[in-house]
Each structure stands twice: as C-alpha cells, then as structure tokens.
Amino acid sequence: MTHAVTVLALDAVVGFDLTVPPQVLGSARAADGTPFYEVTTAGMGGPVRPSRGGFTITPDHGLEALATADTVVVAGVNGNRTLIDGTLDPAVGEALRAAHDRGARILSICTGASVLAAAGLLDDRPAASHWGWARRLRKLYPQVQWDFDVLFVDGGDILTSAGVGAGIDLCLHVVRTDHGSAVANTAARRCVVPPFRDGGQAQYIERPIPAARADGTSATRAWALDRLAEPVSLKEMAGHANMSVRTFTRRFRDETGLSPLKWLLRQRVDHARLLLESTDLGVDVVARRAGLGSATALRQHFQQSVGVAPAAYRRTFRHG
C-alpha cells in the first residue's frame, strides 16, 4: 500500500526543506514503477510565504491532512515564532500531537525541530537541528536533548535532521528503513545525491572541500569499490592514484572528510547491509564478499556502525 506523507509548511518555511520530501520520497518506487509514497503538502489555510525567494506557495490541504497521514514531515522555518519566542499556534500543536498519539511517524528537517519542540513532542528526547541555531534552540527549549553535531537522529517514532542537505539524508534513511538499501540507492541515483551518509556523521567539515580535480582520488575510489571483496591496502590505493601514501592520504581526506581506510571500511559495511537485505547468504559469506574477512569481524564492525547484529538487521530491514 502507498504510504501517505504530509509535509507541513508554516509561515517563513524554508523552500528547500519543503521540496526535499516529495523529491526524495517520490523517487522511491517498486520494480514496476509504483511509488511507495504519496506526498502532499499542508498548511494553516491560504498561501505561505517562504523565508527567502520572493514567492508564495499554496499548500494542497489544511491541517486536517495530518489526521490521515502515515508520516508527517515538518519543514524548516526561518523567522517563525517558534524561533523567536518559543510559541506555536495552538491548532498546529494540537494537530501534531494528535498525529503522534495515533501512531503517525513524525519527521522534522532543519529548524522544523523548533515546531516539534514547541508542540512538546521533543521533551526529554534527543533531537538534531541546524548547528547555527544551537544557542537559540537550547535557550528556548532546554527540555530537549539537542545534538548539533550529527546529520540526523532516529528516535523511532520521531526523527529529526540538521540543516538543508541533511534533510535529504533523513529522507533516504526513511526509504532505506522502510524498503531496504536497494530502493534507497536507486532513489538517490534518481536525485543525483550520495546514497548514504550515516546519521552520526558530523554536520560539516571545518576546512573547505577543494574543487574536483583530474588528479584527485575519485578514480581510485571507484577502483576500490570494484574490489571490496579483495584485500586493498593504503599503499595499493596510493599506487593506483600515482601518489605517495602521504599525499594520497591528505588529498583523500580533503575530498571525502575521511581517511582512505575508514572510507573503505564504511563502503564494506554498506555493501554487507545490501547483501543482508537482498540475499540469503550466510553471515560468513557476506563477510567475505564485503571484504570484512570473517563473521566475527562483520559482527564487530556492524555493531559499531549500525548498532545491531547482522542477523537482527536482516530480520528487521529485509523486505520482499
């Protein structure tokens, strides 16, 4: 059955945040092209002026749409009362609490978390939002366990993300949770975005990311991805890139934010996730094909990266 998603647009909505869920979730489809999600927008009635852009939008529905949605997404706001004095229109708070109480999944993108906090839905819970609003949000909503260092927080029934691009990561995480990595990866390709960034990844890197270069490490990353089942050393990666180990490591970190071996381990764990979801291969075979060596090593790295054992992940996340 198609999963009903309603995106809530309030005054001073962030336009990018509002358009991410229909774009990303709308790209998740079954093999026959059937969409897994039906995404609509809702507001308080009448047009909504975004925080930037010089245009207005008119949501398809009013707040009544939240009463039937399977998932409610609150888009970010910039200038809303929830970021000024911590107040929220009572009708919005009531609609959000009612949706949560009846079992709807609640998401927020960026400063949309301030709306959830004002509605009382984040009390004594961990939550993410844009790092630039950390001081304001902590002052307005001290009862929330804010984490401004991560891309998103999955609290099960309530999920919150950091700013702008992190909303894409959160939506892909939802697709992966609901339908597996293969569907999420295909949706990411349709949107031309990276298929996976772990929620615990830092929101930003202090040093600037250099422009893509012909003599960069992208070709070597593609080469390594084709050899995940094989032992690949740092020296071999540097040799493929025709660089010294020191130069390669520095340039690789500048381009990806990770060391070469940490990046390679992440790709192997991601490949193991896909194999666990889409095949019946035993854990030992999955470990070998992902280049992790043994079932023991797979369990160790999987627990550290994903938070559950491989067998539990397969039971929970495999579909079809």
Side-chain angles (χ1 to χ4, degrees):
M1 295 179 60
T2 303
H3 186 98
V5 179
T6 295
V7 185
L8 179 61
L10 299 176
D11 285 335
V13 67
V14 178
F16 184 90
D17 298 350
L18 179 61
T19 58
V20 163
Q23 181 65 43
V24 177
L25 299 178
S27 297
R29 307 168 195 163
D32 62 0
T34 302
F36 285 119
Y37 303 93
E38 180 182 359
V39 185
T40 59
T41 58
M44 295 186 63
V48 176
R49 183 176 295 276
S51 59
R52 294 186 179 92
F55 61 94
T56 59
I57 61 171
T58 303
D60 295 331
H61 306 282
L63 293 176
E64 71 278 357
L66 277 63
T68 56
D70 300 308
T71 292
V72 174
V73 184
V74 181
V77 291
N78 188 355
N80 193 278
R81 301 298 303 182
T82 57
L83 288 172
I84 297 173
D85 57 18
T87 61
L88 177 67
D89 187 288
V92 176
E94 183 178 348
L96 286 169
R97 289 189 294 271
H100 178 255
D101 289 345
R102 67 172 175 79
R105 178 171 54 189
I106 309 295
L107 278 62
S108 69
I109 298 176
C110 193
T111 48
S114 69
V115 178
L116 299 185
L121 292 177
L122 297 181
D123 289 0
D124 301 316
R125 299 180 66 127
S129 190
H130 194 294
W131 61 269
W133 290 94
R135 181 178 297 180
R136 176 69 61 83
L137 289 173
R138 285 193 174 112
K139 181 179 180 180
L140 288 173
Y141 307 106
Q143 69 275 20
V144 180
Q145 299 171 20
W146 294 108
D147 188 344
F148 297 101
D149 294 325
V150 297
L151 293 178
F152 60 83
V153 171
D154 183 346
D157 55 337
I158 299 179
L159 299 86
T160 53
S161 79
V164 193
I168 298 175
D169 298 304
L170 178 60
C171 287
L172 286 173
H173 171 73
V174 166
V175 174
R176 185 176 298 106
T177 300
D178 291 349
H179 301 287
S181 292
V183 174
N185 291 347
T186 300
R189 285 195 296 272
R190 289 191 177 113
C191 296
V192 198
V193 295
F196 178 78
R197 292 198 300 169
D198 181 68
Q201 183 173 325
Q203 287 193 23
Y204 64 99
I205 300 172
E206 293 282 357
R207 57 187 176 280
I209 299 296
R213 301 170 45 169
D215 59 347
T217 65
S218 60
T220 298
R221 295 200 298 274
W223 173 83
L225 285 174
D226 287 337
R227 293 163 175 78
L228 290 179
E230 306 170 16
V232 177
S233 68
L234 176 58
K235 184 176 181 180
E236 288 173 319
M237 294 175 75
H240 180 271
N242 293 316
M243 301 178 194
S244 68
V245 169
R246 183 176 180 179
T247 298
F248 176 77
T249 300
R250 178 176 44 88
R251 191 164 297 171
F252 195 101
R253 190 183 293 274
D254 286 342
E255 293 178 8
T256 68
L258 298 170
S259 70
L261 294 183
K262 186 172 182 179
W263 175 88
L264 187 60
L265 176 60
R266 179 171 291 179
Q267 307 313 309
R268 285 175 165 153
V269 172
D270 289 349
H271 187 54
R273 291 166 69 128
L274 182 59
L275 291 175
L276 288 168
E277 293 174 7
S278 59
T279 74
D280 293 317
L281 297 172
V283 174
D284 285 308
V285 178
V286 169
R288 290 197 300 272
R289 292 196 180 182
L292 294 170
S294 67
T296 300
L298 171 60
R299 293 187 184 97
Q300 176 184 351
H301 292 304
F302 215 81
Q303 188 71 45
Q304 291 174 348
S305 299
V306 185
V308 297
Y313 181 87
R314 171 172 270 167
R315 287 193 302 270
T316 303
F317 289 92
R318 186 174 176 187
H319 293 261

Coordinates of all heavy atoms in Angstrom, one line a residue, residues 121-198:
L121 N 6.7 17.7 21.7 CA 7.0 16.4 21.2 C 8.4 16.0 21.4 O 8.7 14.8 21.3 CB 6.6 16.2 19.7 CG 5.1 16.3 19.4 CD1 4.8 16.2 17.9 CD2 4.3 15.2 20.2
L122 N 9.3 16.9 21.7 CA 10.7 16.5 21.9 C 11.2 16.6 23.3 O 12.4 16.5 23.6 CB 11.6 17.5 21.0 CG 11.4 17.4 19.5 CD1 12.3 18.4 18.8 CD2 11.6 16.0 19.0
D123 N 10.2 16.8 24.3 CA 10.6 16.8 25.7 C 11.4 15.6 26.1 O 10.9 14.5 25.9 CB 9.4 17.0 26.6 CG 8.8 18.4 26.4 OD1 9.3 19.2 25.7 OD2 7.7 18.6 27.1
D124 N 12.5 15.8 26.7 CA 13.4 14.7 27.2 C 13.8 13.7 26.1 O 14.0 12.5 26.4 CB 12.6 14.0 28.3 CG 12.3 14.9 29.5 OD1 13.1 15.7 29.9 OD2 11.1 14.8 30.0
R125 N 13.9 14.2 24.9 CA 14.3 13.3 23.8 C 15.5 13.9 23.1 O 15.6 15.1 23.0 CB 13.1 13.1 22.8 CG 11.9 12.5 23.3 CD 10.8 12.4 22.2 NE 11.2 11.4 21.2 CZ 10.5 10.4 20.8 NH1 9.3 10.2 21.3 NH2 11.0 9.6 19.8
P126 N 16.4 13.0 22.5 CA 17.4 13.6 21.7 C 16.9 14.1 20.4 O 15.9 13.5 19.8 CB 18.3 12.3 21.5 CG 17.4 11.2 21.6 CD 16.4 11.6 22.6
A127 N 17.4 15.1 19.8 CA 17.0 15.7 18.6 C 18.1 16.5 17.9 O 19.0 17.0 18.6 CB 15.8 16.7 18.8
A128 N 18.0 16.5 16.6 CA 19.0 17.3 15.8 C 18.4 18.5 15.2 O 17.2 18.5 15.0 CB 19.6 16.4 14.7
S129 N 19.2 19.5 14.9 CA 18.8 20.6 14.1 C 20.0 21.3 13.6 O 21.1 20.8 13.8 CB 17.9 21.6 14.9 OG 17.3 22.6 14.1
H130 N 19.9 22.4 12.9 CA 21.0 23.1 12.3 C 21.9 23.7 13.3 O 21.4 24.3 14.3 CB 20.5 24.2 11.4 CG 21.5 24.8 10.5 ND1 22.6 25.5 10.9 CD2 21.6 24.8 9.1 CE1 23.3 25.9 9.9 NE2 22.7 25.5 8.8
W131 N 23.2 23.5 13.2 CA 24.2 23.9 14.2 C 24.1 25.4 14.4 O 24.4 25.9 15.5 CB 25.6 23.5 13.8 CG 26.1 24.1 12.5 CD1 26.0 23.5 11.3 CD2 26.7 25.3 12.3 NE1 26.5 24.3 10.3 CE2 27.0 25.5 11.0 CE3 27.1 26.3 13.2 CZ2 27.6 26.6 10.4 CZ3 27.8 27.5 12.7 CH2 28.0 27.6 11.3
G132 N 23.7 26.2 13.4 CA 23.7 27.6 13.5 C 22.7 28.1 14.5 O 22.7 29.3 14.9
W133 N 21.7 27.3 14.8 CA 20.6 27.7 15.7 C 20.8 27.1 17.1 O 19.9 27.1 17.9 CB 19.3 27.3 15.2 CG 18.8 28.1 14.0 CD1 19.0 27.8 12.7 CD2 18.2 29.3 14.0 NE1 18.5 28.7 11.8 CE2 18.0 29.7 12.6 CE3 17.7 30.2 15.0 CZ2 17.3 30.9 12.3 CZ3 17.1 31.4 14.6 CH2 16.9 31.7 13.3
A134 N 22.0 26.6 17.4 CA 22.2 25.8 18.6 C 21.9 26.7 19.9 O 21.2 26.3 20.8 CB 23.6 25.3 18.7
R135 N 22.5 27.9 19.9 CA 22.3 28.7 21.1 C 20.9 29.1 21.3 O 20.3 29.0 22.4 CB 23.2 30.0 21.0 CG 23.1 30.9 22.2 CD 24.0 32.1 22.1 NE 25.4 31.7 22.0 CZ 26.4 32.6 21.9 NH1 26.1 33.9 21.8 NH2 27.6 32.1 21.8
R136 N 20.2 29.5 20.2 CA 18.8 29.9 20.4 C 17.9 28.7 20.8 O 17.0 28.9 21.7 CB 18.3 30.5 19.0 CG 16.8 30.8 19.0 CD 16.5 32.1 19.8 NE 17.3 33.2 19.4 CZ 16.9 34.0 18.4 NH1 15.8 33.8 17.7 NH2 17.6 35.1 18.1
L137 N 18.1 27.6 20.2 CA 17.2 26.4 20.5 C 17.4 25.9 21.9 O 16.5 25.5 22.6 CB 17.4 25.3 19.4 CG 16.9 25.6 18.0 CD1 17.3 24.5 17.1 CD2 15.4 25.7 18.0
R138 N 18.7 25.9 22.3 CA 18.9 25.5 23.7 C 18.3 26.4 24.7 O 17.8 26.0 25.8 CB 20.4 25.4 23.9 CG 21.1 24.2 23.3 CD 22.5 24.0 23.8 NE 23.1 22.7 23.3 CZ 24.1 22.7 22.4 NH1 24.7 23.8 22.0 NH2 24.6 21.6 22.0
K139 N 18.3 27.7 24.4 CA 17.7 28.7 25.3 C 16.2 28.5 25.3 O 15.6 28.6 26.4 CB 18.1 30.1 24.9 CG 17.5 31.2 25.8 CD 18.0 32.5 25.4 CE 17.4 33.6 26.3 NZ 17.9 35.0 25.9
L140 N 15.6 28.4 24.1 CA 14.1 28.3 24.1 C 13.5 27.0 24.5 O 12.5 27.0 25.1 CB 13.7 28.6 22.6 CG 13.8 30.0 22.1 CD1 13.5 30.0 20.6 CD2 12.9 30.9 22.8
Y141 N 14.3 25.9 24.3 CA 13.8 24.6 24.6 C 14.8 23.8 25.4 O 15.4 22.8 24.9 CB 13.4 23.9 23.3 CG 12.5 24.7 22.4 CD1 13.0 25.3 21.3 CD2 11.1 24.8 22.7 CE1 12.1 26.1 20.4 CE2 10.3 25.6 21.9 CZ 10.8 26.2 20.8 OH 10.0 27.0 20.0
P142 N 15.1 24.1 26.6 CA 16.1 23.4 27.4 C 15.7 22.0 27.8 O 16.6 21.2 28.2 CB 16.2 24.3 28.7 CG 14.9 25.0 28.8 CD 14.5 25.2 27.4
Q143 N 14.4 21.7 27.6 CA 14.0 20.3 27.9 C 14.3 19.3 26.9 O 14.2 18.1 27.1 CB 12.4 20.3 28.2 CG 11.6 20.5 26.9 CD 11.4 22.0 26.6 OE1 12.2 22.9 27.0 NE2 10.4 22.3 25.8
V144 N 14.8 19.8 25.7 CA 15.2 18.9 24.6 C 16.7 18.5 24.7 O 17.5 19.3 25.1 CB 14.9 19.5 23.3 CG1 15.3 18.6 22.1 CG2 13.4 19.9 23.2
Q145 N 17.0 17.3 24.4 CA 18.4 16.8 24.4 C 19.0 17.1 23.1 O 19.2 16.2 22.2 CB 18.5 15.3 24.8 CG 17.9 15.0 26.2 CD 17.8 13.5 26.4 OE1 18.4 12.7 25.7 NE2 16.9 13.1 27.3
W146 N 19.4 18.3 22.8 CA 19.8 18.7 21.5 C 21.2 18.1 21.1 O 22.1 18.1 22.0 CB 19.9 20.2 21.4 CG 18.6 20.9 21.5 CD1 18.1 21.7 22.5 CD2 17.6 21.0 20.5 NE1 16.9 22.2 22.2 CE2 16.5 21.8 21.0 CE3 17.4 20.4 19.2 CZ2 15.3 22.0 20.3 CZ3 16.3 20.6 18.5 CH2 15.2 21.4 19.0
D147 N 21.3 17.7 19.9 CA 22.6 17.2 19.4 C 22.9 18.0 18.0 O 22.2 17.6 17.0 CB 22.6 15.7 19.2 CG 24.0 15.2 18.8 OD1 24.9 16.0 18.4 OD2 24.2 14.0 18.9
F148 N 23.8 18.9 18.1 CA 24.0 19.7 16.9 C 25.3 19.3 16.1 O 25.8 20.0 15.2 CB 24.1 21.2 17.2 CG 22.9 21.8 17.8 CD1 22.7 21.9 19.2 CD2 21.8 22.1 17.0 CE1 21.6 22.5 19.7 CE2 20.6 22.7 17.6 CZ 20.5 22.8 18.9
D149 N 25.7 18.1 16.4 CA 27.0 17.6 15.8 C 26.7 16.5 14.8 O 27.6 16.0 14.1 CB 27.9 17.0 16.9 CG 28.5 18.1 17.8 OD1 28.7 19.2 17.3 OD2 28.6 17.8 19.0
V150 N 25.4 16.1 14.6 CA 25.1 14.9 13.8 C 24.2 15.4 12.6 O 23.5 16.4 12.7 CB 24.4 13.8 14.6 CG1 25.4 13.2 15.6 CG2 23.1 14.3 15.2
L151 N 24.0 14.5 11.6 CA 23.2 14.8 10.5 C 21.7 14.6 10.8 O 20.9 15.4 10.4 CB 23.6 14.0 9.3 CG 25.0 14.3 8.7 CD1 25.2 13.3 7.5 CD2 25.1 15.7 8.2
F152 N 21.4 13.5 11.5 CA 20.1 13.3 11.9 C 20.0 12.4 13.1 O 21.0 11.7 13.4 CB 19.2 12.7 10.8 CG 19.7 11.4 10.2 CD1 19.4 10.2 10.8 CD2 20.4 11.4 9.0 CE1 19.8 9.0 10.3 CE2 20.9 10.2 8.5 CZ 20.5 9.0 9.1
V153 N 18.9 12.4 13.8 CA 18.6 11.5 14.9 C 17.4 10.7 14.7 O 16.3 11.3 14.4 CB 18.5 12.3 16.3 CG1 18.0 11.4 17.4 CG2 19.8 13.0 16.6
D154 N 17.5 9.4 14.7 CA 16.3 8.5 14.5 C 15.9 8.0 15.9 O 16.5 7.2 16.5 CB 16.7 7.3 13.7 CG 15.6 6.4 13.4 OD1 14.5 6.5 14.1 OD2 15.7 5.5 12.5
G155 N 14.8 8.6 16.3 CA 14.2 8.2 17.6 C 13.1 7.3 17.5 O 12.3 7.1 18.5
G156 N 12.9 6.6 16.3 CA 11.9 5.6 16.1 C 10.6 6.3 15.6 O 10.4 6.3 14.4
D157 N 9.8 6.8 16.5 CA 8.6 7.5 16.1 C 8.8 8.9 15.7 O 7.9 9.5 15.0 CB 7.5 7.3 17.3 CG 8.0 7.9 18.6 OD1 9.3 8.0 18.8 OD2 7.2 8.3 19.4
I158 N 9.9 9.5 16.2 CA 10.2 10.9 15.8 C 11.6 11.0 15.3 O 12.5 10.5 16.0 CB 10.0 11.9 17.0 CG1 8.5 11.8 17.5 CG2 10.4 13.3 16.6 CD1 8.2 12.8 18.7
L159 N 11.8 11.5 14.2 CA 13.1 11.6 13.6 C 13.4 13.1 13.2 O 12.5 13.8 12.7 CB 13.3 10.8 12.3 CG 13.1 9.3 12.4 CD1 11.6 8.9 12.3 CD2 13.8 8.6 11.3
T160 N 14.6 13.6 13.5 CA 14.9 15.0 13.3 C 16.2 15.1 12.6 O 17.1 14.2 12.8 CB 15.0 15.8 14.6 OG1 16.0 15.1 15.5 CG2 13.7 15.9 15.3
S161 N 16.4 16.1 11.7 CA 17.6 16.2 11.0 C 18.2 17.6 11.1 O 17.5 18.6 11.5 CB 17.4 16.0 9.5 OG 16.8 17.1 8.8
A162 N 19.5 17.7 10.7 CA 20.2 19.0 10.7 C 19.7 19.8 9.5 O 18.7 19.5 8.8 CB 21.7 18.8 10.7
G163 N 20.5 20.8 9.1 CA 20.0 21.8 8.1 C 20.2 21.3 6.7 O 21.0 20.5 6.3
V164 N 19.3 21.8 5.8 CA 19.3 21.8 4.4 C 19.6 20.4 3.9 O 18.7 19.6 3.8 CB 20.4 22.8 3.8 CG1 20.2 23.0 2.3 CG2 20.2 24.2 4.5
G165 N 20.9 20.1 3.4 CA 21.2 18.8 2.8 C 20.9 17.6 3.7 O 20.7 16.5 3.2
A166 N 21.0 17.8 5.0 CA 20.7 16.7 5.9 C 19.3 16.2 5.8 O 19.0 15.0 6.2 CB 21.0 17.1 7.4
G167 N 18.4 17.0 5.3 CA 17.0 16.5 5.1 C 17.0 15.5 4.0 O 16.1 14.5 4.1
I168 N 17.9 15.6 3.0 CA 18.0 14.5 2.0 C 18.4 13.2 2.7 O 17.9 12.1 2.4 CB 18.9 14.9 0.9 CG1 18.4 16.2 0.2 CG2 19.2 13.8 -0.1 CD1 19.4 16.7 -0.8
D169 N 19.4 13.3 3.5 CA 20.0 12.1 4.2 C 18.9 11.5 5.1 O 18.7 10.3 5.1 CB 21.1 12.5 5.1 CG 22.3 13.1 4.3 OD1 22.8 12.4 3.4 OD2 22.7 14.2 4.6
L170 N 18.1 12.3 5.7 CA 17.0 11.7 6.6 C 15.9 11.0 5.7 O 15.5 9.9 6.1 CB 16.3 12.9 7.4 CG 15.2 12.4 8.3 CD1 15.6 11.4 9.3 CD2 14.6 13.6 9.0
C171 N 15.6 11.6 4.6 CA 14.5 11.0 3.8 C 15.1 9.7 3.2 O 14.3 8.7 3.1 CB 14.1 12.0 2.7 SG 13.1 13.3 3.3
L172 N 16.3 9.7 2.8 CA 16.9 8.4 2.3 C 17.0 7.4 3.4 O 16.8 6.2 3.1 CB 18.3 8.7 1.7 CG 18.3 9.4 0.3 CD1 19.7 9.7 -0.1 CD2 17.6 8.5 -0.8
H173 N 17.3 7.8 4.6 CA 17.3 6.9 5.7 C 15.9 6.3 5.9 O 15.8 5.1 6.2 CB 17.7 7.6 7.0 CG 17.6 6.9 8.2 ND1 18.4 5.8 8.6 CD2 16.7 7.0 9.2 CE1 18.1 5.3 9.7 NE2 17.0 6.0 10.2
V174 N 14.9 7.1 5.8 CA 13.5 6.6 5.9 C 13.2 5.6 4.8 O 12.6 4.5 5.1 CB 12.5 7.8 5.9 CG1 11.1 7.3 5.7 CG2 12.6 8.6 7.1
V175 N 13.6 5.9 3.6 CA 13.4 4.9 2.5 C 14.1 3.6 2.8 O 13.6 2.5 2.6 CB 13.8 5.5 1.1 CG1 13.7 4.5 0.0 CG2 13.0 6.7 0.8
R176 N 15.4 3.7 3.2 CA 16.2 2.5 3.5 C 15.5 1.7 4.6 O 15.5 0.5 4.6 CB 17.6 3.0 3.9 CG 18.6 1.8 4.1 CD 20.0 2.3 4.3 NE 20.5 3.1 3.2 CZ 20.6 4.4 3.2 NH1 20.2 5.1 4.3 NH2 21.0 5.1 2.1
T177 N 15.0 2.4 5.6 CA 14.4 1.7 6.7 C 13.1 1.0 6.3 O 12.9 -0.1 6.7 CB 14.1 2.7 7.9 OG1 15.3 3.3 8.3 CG2 13.4 2.0 9.0
D178 N 12.3 1.7 5.5 CA 11.1 1.1 5.0 C 11.2 0.0 4.0 O 10.5 -0.9 4.0 CB 10.2 2.2 4.5 CG 9.7 3.2 5.5 OD1 9.9 2.9 6.7 OD2 9.1 4.3 5.2
H179 N 12.2 0.2 3.0 CA 12.2 -0.6 1.8 C 13.6 -1.2 1.5 O 13.7 -1.9 0.5 CB 11.6 0.2 0.6 CG 10.2 0.6 0.8 ND1 9.1 -0.2 0.8 CD2 9.7 1.9 1.1 CE1 8.0 0.5 1.1 NE2 8.4 1.7 1.2
G180 N 14.6 -0.9 2.3 CA 15.9 -1.5 2.0 C 16.8 -0.6 1.2 O 16.4 0.4 0.6
S181 N 18.1 -1.0 1.3 CA 19.1 -0.2 0.6 C 19.0 -0.1 -0.9 O 19.3 0.9 -1.5 CB 20.5 -0.8 1.0 OG 20.8 -0.7 2.4
A182 N 18.6 -1.2 -1.5 CA 18.5 -1.2 -3.0 C 17.5 -0.1 -3.5 O 17.8 0.6 -4.4 CB 18.0 -2.6 -3.5
V183 N 16.4 0.0 -2.8 CA 15.4 1.0 -3.2 C 15.9 2.4 -2.9 O 15.8 3.4 -3.7 CB 14.0 0.8 -2.5 CG1 13.1 2.0 -2.7 CG2 13.4 -0.5 -2.9
A184 N 16.6 2.6 -1.7 CA 17.1 3.9 -1.3 C 18.3 4.3 -2.3 O 18.4 5.4 -2.7 CB 17.7 3.8 0.1
N185 N 19.1 3.3 -2.7 CA 20.2 3.6 -3.6 C 19.7 4.1 -4.9 O 20.2 5.0 -5.6 CB 21.1 2.4 -3.8 CG 21.9 2.1 -2.5 OD1 22.0 2.9 -1.6 ND2 22.5 1.0 -2.5
T186 N 18.6 3.4 -5.4 CA 18.0 3.8 -6.7 C 17.4 5.2 -6.6 O 17.5 6.0 -7.5 CB 16.9 2.8 -7.1 OG1 17.6 1.5 -7.3 CG2 16.3 3.2 -8.4
A187 N 16.7 5.5 -5.5 CA 16.1 6.8 -5.3 C 17.2 7.9 -5.3 O 17.1 9.0 -5.8 CB 15.3 6.8 -4.0
A188 N 18.3 7.6 -4.6 CA 19.5 8.5 -4.6 C 20.0 8.8 -5.9 O 20.3 9.9 -6.3 CB 20.5 8.0 -3.6
R189 N 20.1 7.7 -6.7 CA 20.6 7.9 -8.1 C 19.7 8.8 -8.9 O 20.1 9.6 -9.7 CB 20.8 6.6 -8.8 CG 22.0 5.8 -8.3 CD 22.4 4.7 -9.3 NE 21.4 3.6 -9.3 CZ 21.3 2.6 -8.5 NH1 22.2 2.5 -7.5 NH2 20.3 1.7 -8.6
R190 N 18.4 8.6 -8.7 CA 17.4 9.4 -9.5 C 17.6 10.9 -9.1 O 17.3 11.8 -9.9 CB 16.0 9.0 -9.2 CG 15.7 7.6 -9.8 CD 14.2 7.3 -9.7 NE 13.8 6.1 -10.4 CZ 13.4 5.0 -9.8 NH1 13.2 5.0 -8.5 NH2 13.1 3.9 -10.5
C191 N 17.9 11.1 -7.8 CA 18.1 12.5 -7.3 C 19.5 13.0 -7.5 O 19.8 14.2 -7.1 CB 17.7 12.6 -5.8 SG 15.9 12.2 -5.5
V192 N 20.4 12.2 -7.9 CA 21.8 12.5 -8.1 C 22.4 13.0 -6.8 O 23.0 14.1 -6.8 CB 22.0 13.5 -9.3 CG1 23.5 13.5 -9.8 CG2 21.1 13.2 -10.5
V193 N 22.3 12.2 -5.8 CA 22.8 12.6 -4.5 C 23.5 11.3 -3.9 O 23.2 10.2 -4.3 CB 21.7 13.1 -3.5 CG1 21.1 14.4 -4.0 CG2 20.7 12.0 -3.3
P194 N 24.4 11.5 -2.9 CA 25.1 10.3 -2.3 C 24.0 9.5 -1.7 O 23.1 10.0 -1.0 CB 26.0 10.9 -1.3 CG 26.2 12.3 -1.7 CD 25.0 12.8 -2.4
P195 N 24.1 8.1 -1.8 CA 23.1 7.2 -1.3 C 23.1 7.1 0.2 O 22.1 6.7 0.8 CB 23.4 5.9 -2.0 CG 24.8 6.0 -2.3 CD 25.1 7.4 -2.6
F196 N 24.2 7.4 0.9 CA 24.2 7.1 2.3 C 25.2 8.0 3.0 O 26.4 8.1 2.6 CB 24.6 5.6 2.5 CG 24.7 5.3 4.0 CD1 23.6 5.1 4.7 CD2 26.0 5.2 4.6 CE1 23.7 4.8 6.1 CE2 26.1 4.9 6.0 CZ 24.9 4.7 6.7
R197 N 24.8 8.7 4.0 CA 25.6 9.4 4.9 C 25.1 9.0 6.3 O 23.9 9.3 6.6 CB 25.7 10.9 4.7 CG 26.3 11.3 3.5 CD 26.7 12.8 3.5 NE 25.6 13.7 3.7 CZ 25.7 15.0 4.0 NH1 26.8 15.5 4.2 NH2 24.6 15.7 4.1
D198 N 25.9 8.4 7.1 CA 25.5 8.0 8.4 C 25.0 9.1 9.3 O 25.5 10.2 9.2 CB 26.6 7.3 9.1 CG 26.2 6.7 10.5 OD1 25.4 5.8 10.6 OD2 26.7 7.3 11.5

